[in-house]
């Protein structure tokens, strides 16, 4: 396992981090399965675990808390907030009112007195940066969080938040957690240059592109993954974007074969090769998934392999741009672009 410094924090984290989105009802995993996955990941050298309040409505945090009991100090523990936690209109967002309340809920579910990294899951356009950063700064000073970061923020919002922290003499985001894979390279255009400029740690999610790069998705093969069961539109190859992804996967499989790599090694080796990336979040649902992903822990792609990948999907290109989660609100809500 390789280790890298998380931005400018001085904290050393593994290049592969354990994402807990599949823990609980969403991934149909039991507590025993989650504990076995956590045990195996830690034994392999993973020292960063990332979860969120919204994953299986808090169940993921509860399972992670039970799995790490007795070894909290050996783990860099991260969670997130801001996505809706129910129908109550104020049980979401990044207001002081909600963040203070929901962090306490997360700490209770995790069974800990602090988290190492608290992340705003999505930019909240209805809340000012000063409001959010002042709340996070106070929570940090209270000892409930060590650092705070953003997740899936557009590049201009990352810059704006850095400016607001300086303008108002507040703590700043020290990490960003964007989506990044061979098939979704858009963040190379704006987000990664910004994170490098400000010295942010980068924890990338979906490096296997929702399973497209797992090796299980191939031409002529039925797609039966857990993800395809509840997100069938992302795998319907009659859609133009999905057809393009499948065509790219077939070409990437040839690149992997010629290099003597699995598709997972190719995919994870690609994202961790970028100098701006600190860690890739893997989200196994089973022990077999975990072991196949851990096999990429020390994968280093040659320049020839990286060049070959560039010929399949060009730098800065998203093959499924409609799946991006960082679009300005006015692109998604017509009322915001009408006078």
């Amino acid at each position: 396992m390789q280790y890298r410094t998380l931005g400018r924090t001085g904290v050393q984290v593994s290049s592969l981090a354990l994402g807990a989105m599949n823990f609980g009802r969403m991934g149909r995993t039991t507590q025993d399965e989650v504990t076995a996955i956590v045990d195996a990941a830690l034994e392999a050298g993973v020292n960063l675990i990332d979860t969120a309040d919204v994953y299986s409505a808090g169940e993921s945090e509860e399972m992670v808390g039970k799995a790490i009991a007795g070894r909290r100090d050996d783990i860099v523990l991260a969670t997130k907030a801001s996505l809706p936690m129910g129908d109550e209109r104020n049980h979401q967002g990044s207001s002081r009112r909600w963040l203070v309340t929901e962090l306490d809920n997360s700490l209770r579910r995790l069974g800990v007195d602090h988290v190492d990294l608290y992340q705003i899951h999505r930019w909240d356009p209805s809340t000012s940066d000063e409001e959010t950063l002042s709340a996070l700064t106070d929570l940090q000073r209270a000892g409930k969080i060590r650092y705070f970061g953003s997740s899936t923020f557009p590049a201009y919002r990352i810059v704006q938040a850095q400016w607001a922290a300086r303008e108002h003499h507040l703590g700043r985001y020290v990490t960003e957690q964007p989506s990044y894979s061979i098939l979704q390279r858009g963040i190379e255009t704006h987000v990664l240059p910004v994170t490098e400029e400000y010295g942010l740690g980068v924890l990338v999610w979906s490096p296997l592109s929702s399973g497209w790069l797992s090796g299980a998705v191939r031409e002529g093969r039925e797609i039966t993954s857990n993800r395809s069961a509840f997100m069938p539109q992302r795998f319907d190859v009659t859609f133009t974007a999905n057809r393009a992804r499948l065509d790219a996967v077939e070409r990437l499989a040839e690149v992997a074969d010629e290099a003597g790599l699995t598709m997972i090694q190719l995919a994870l080796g690609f994202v961790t090769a970028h100098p701006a990336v600190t860690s890739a979040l893997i989200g196994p649902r089973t022990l077999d998934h975990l072991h196949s992903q851990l096999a990429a822990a020390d994968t280093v792609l040659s320049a020839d392999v990286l060049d070959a990948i560039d010929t399949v999907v060009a730098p800065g290109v998203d093959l499924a741009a409609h799946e991006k989660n960082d679009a300005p609100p006015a692109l998604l809500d017509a009322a915001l672009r009408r006078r």
Side-chain angles (χ1 to χ4, degrees), residues 174-230:
V174 299
T175 60
E176 162 61 14
Q177 187 179 133
S179 172
Y180 184 42
S181 73
I182 295 176
L183 304 181
Q184 295 284 82
R185 301 183 61 173
I187 66 167
E188 294 173 347
T189 304
H190 300 295
V191 171
L192 293 184
V194 166
T195 61
E196 288 185 294
E197 175 70 22
Y198 288 99
L200 273 63
V202 176
L203 312 172
V204 300
W205 57 271
S206 200
L208 299 182
S209 199
S210 298
W212 277 96
L213 298 171
S214 68
V217 179
R218 296 295 301 274
E219 183 72 66
R221 186 183 300 174
E222 184 181 3
I223 302 174
T224 59
S225 67
N226 184 64
R227 188 68 61 88
S228 67
F230 65 88

Side-chain angles (χ1 to χ4, degrees), residues 181-183 207-209 211-219 221 245-271 292-293 295-296 299 301 305 309 312:
S181 73
I182 295 176
L183 304 181
L208 299 182
S209 199
W212 277 96
L213 298 171
S214 68
V217 179
R218 296 295 301 274
E219 183 72 66
R221 186 183 300 174
R245 280 194 279 207
L246 186 58
D247 291 343
V249 165
E250 290 300 306
R251 294 175 63 192
L252 290 168
E254 294 177 5
V255 174
D257 287 343
E258 290 177 5
L261 301 168
T262 66
M263 282 289 284
I264 289 174
Q265 288 175 315
L266 186 77
L268 295 179
F270 168 79
V271 297
S292 67
Q293 293 162 16
T299 298
L301 302 186
V305 171
I309 290 172
V312 178

Side-chain angles (χ1 to χ4, degrees), residues 21 35 47 49 94 110-111 130 133 192 200 227 254:
M21 189 178 73
T35 300
N47 74 339
I49 299 178
S94 55
L110 288 162
E130 182 184 3
L133 292 171
L192 293 184
L200 273 63
R227 188 68 61 88
E254 294 177 5

